[in-house]
Amino acid sequence: GIEDMRRKAGGGAMVKYASEPGNAQRSCKARGSHMRVSFKNTRETAMAIKRMGLKAAQKYLGDVLDHKRCIPFRRFCGGVGRTAQAKNEGSTNGQGRWPKKSVELLLSMLKNAESNAEVKGLDVDALYVSHIQVNRAPAQRRRTYRAHGRMGPYQSSPCHVELILSEKDEPVPKGDAKEAKLTKKQLAIKRASA
């Protein structure tokens, strides 16, 4: 799982994230390097849960595994079949899939981040996915046999995934309504009409 991958990637050394949370005390992180899952599928899955609440994201990904909801494919959508479920997820092209391996990876990463949050003493119900990013990792190379005795590449497309969960900020109450400032011209018209 993630822990084995981390050990291979060089232990638990501190790593730089692409984005730092606004309030580090109210955020927690999780990451996985050189994950053996499709980069394109994982990217689309990550975009589907971005800005979602933690519990909502976990429920959504669970529904995707049960084929009740789908992941809409927006960027990497060449040759992706269409499904009615994609329309419900706000897709404009109707294309969607149920990428099991990517979904399971992200679920385990959310669980890892949730554990990190509990250790930090954060309110798990107030967490949301404030940052999630998927990058291509170096391809793992194998070979396949082609016609006329040639060889062709047969590569996997692994990826690096990082995510940050943050507690939702309390909405700032609106101030007292102030009267709009009037221009000289508007003041003159107001005086004239009064």
Side-chain angles (χ1 to χ4, degrees), residues 62-138:
D63 287 345
V64 171
L65 286 179
D66 297 337
H67 282 237
K68 289 179 191 163
R69 295 172 74 181
C70 79
I71 301 291
F73 275 55
R74 300 174 198 278
R75 179 176 296 173
F76 300 111
C77 56
V80 173
R82 295 179 297 190
T83 170
Q85 286 181 10
K87 294 287 187 198
N88 301 336
E89 305 307 331
S91 167
T92 52
N93 57 16
Q95 293 172 292
R97 278 186 174 165
W98 301 266
K100 183 172 187 276
K101 212 169 166 184
S102 296
V103 168
E104 284 171 347
L105 167 79
L106 286 183
L107 270 172
S108 69
M109 285 193 70
L110 286 172
K111 190 177 177 189
N112 180 241
E114 188 179 357
S115 304
N116 296 344
E118 283 168 1
V119 168
K120 268 183 133 178
L122 302 179
D123 177 12
V124 175
D125 295 323
L127 292 174
Y128 76 104
V129 183
S130 59
H131 165 77
I132 185 161
Q133 179 174 307
V134 182
N135 295 112
R136 286 181 193 271

Side-chain angles (χ1 to χ4, degrees), residues 138-143 153-156:
Q140 295 181 326
R141 302 181 69 92
R142 288 181 289 169
R143 61 189 194 170
Y154 199 70
Q155 302 175 334
S156 69

Side-chain angles (χ1 to χ4, degrees), residues 1 4 6 17 38 49 54 70 78 105 115 138 157 164 166 188-189:
D4 302 334
R6 261 202 204 103
Y17 278 64
S38 158
I49 64 167
L54 171 63
C70 79
L105 167 79
S115 304
S157 305
I164 297 175
S166 304
I189 293 168

